Amino acid sequence: MTVQNTTTSAQDVVDILTIDHREMEDLLDQIQRSPDSVQRRDLTDTLIAEVMRHSVAEEMYVYPAMEKRIPGGKEEAEHDREEHDEIVQVMKQLEDADAAEPAFMDRVHKLDDLLRHHAKDEEADQFPKMRERIPGEDLVELGREVEKAKQLAPTRPHPSAPHAELFHKTVGAGVGMVDRLRDQLSGRMTG
């Protein structure tokens, strides 16, 4: 079954997520080029917040759509959730790490590898399947939902939180509100 895409001028979810990937990669490059540990810390905090927003939005809207509309989508979404868990674990290690220590950059390199692998998988395999199987207007609507979810999503890693649509839709906004309050009170950079 091939679905013809007749999108409007609004960005669809694939465009939005791909742009997010490029922005994350750019932040990773900036972190790795920066000789200043304070700047590395600020850039890393911004990166962590962006990755969390992106991941939560995917788990809330993109993965459920994949599970319903793409053959093998349930398995692919589960694989992506497992990758998100690995990414969250590394971000948690980075969250309070000293950006002047060599171990900090080791963790940044690990995060870089995980994020680039995840983005490559999505862009090379899943996004084309989504464009093939989901009508364009539905992809645009998914994009709107993703953008709304990113506004409310947590900005800090929570390794013990489930990577589940129901959790994010019921508890996630509250967790996100607490994270944003903590960010403000601490002066943490989040984008």
Side-chain angles (χ1 to χ4, degrees):
M1 173 187 147
T2 299
V3 176
Q4 291 296 334
N5 282 325
T6 54
T7 59
T8 62
S9 61
Q11 284 186 314
D12 72 19
V13 70
V14 171
D15 294 330
I16 291 165
L17 297 176
T18 301
I19 290 167
D20 284 356
H21 291 163
R22 296 297 84 75
E23 290 172 354
M24 290 175 209
E25 290 167 356
D26 182 54
L27 283 166
L28 283 159
D29 291 341
Q30 289 179 57
I31 294 164
Q32 293 174 81
R33 284 193 312 264
S34 178
D36 178 46
S37 64
V38 173
Q39 183 183 34
R40 279 195 305 270
R41 171 82 269 153
D42 289 346
L43 289 167
T44 301
D45 289 342
T46 299
L47 174 65
I48 288 170
E50 291 305 313
V51 171
M52 287 305 303
R53 290 178 183 119
H54 175 94
S55 299
V56 166
E58 283 183 328
E59 291 168 8
M60 286 174 73
Y61 295 102
V62 177
Y63 298 163
M66 286 172 43
E67 290 171 345
K68 289 177 190 155
R69 298 184 173 189
I70 295 173
K74 188 169 181 66
E75 293 79 14
E76 289 189 41
E78 188 54 40
H79 173 78
D80 285 355
R81 287 183 188 99
E82 290 170 8
E83 288 184 345
H84 282 186
D85 189 51
E86 287 181 83
I87 291 166
V88 166
Q89 298 295 333
V90 174
M91 290 190 307
K92 187 64 179 173
Q93 293 169 1
L94 278 167
E95 191 175 37
D96 296 320
D98 182 347
E101 294 295 321
F104 182 86
M105 289 309 295
D106 291 341
R107 291 179 183 125
V108 167
H109 294 303
K110 172 94 172 139
L111 182 59
D112 187 323
D113 290 344
L114 292 169
L115 286 173
R116 289 181 197 269
H117 168 82
H118 185 73
K120 183 181 173 199
D121 279 355
E122 287 182 341
E123 292 174 25
D125 185 43
Q126 295 167 358
F127 291 174
K129 289 178 185 174
M130 288 173 64
R131 284 230 163 103
E132 179 184 321
R133 306 285 299 194
I134 302 173
E137 56 276 2
D138 291 354
L139 291 173
V140 169
E141 181 55 32
L142 266 175
R144 286 188 197 106
E145 295 293 342
V146 160
E147 290 291 12
K148 283 191 267 182
K150 287 176 9 181
Q151 297 299 313
L152 301 174
T155 60
R156 294 171 179 257
H158 299 277
S160 59
H163 299 283
E165 174 188 11
L166 182 61
F167 175 82
H168 294 309
K169 287 183 176 178
T170 58
V171 179
V175 173
M177 184 177 69
V178 171
D179 282 357
R180 286 186 294 286
L181 179 60
R182 285 180 61 203
D183 293 344
Q184 276 188 327
L185 292 173
S186 70
R188 181 175 179 257
M189 305 295 285
T190 59

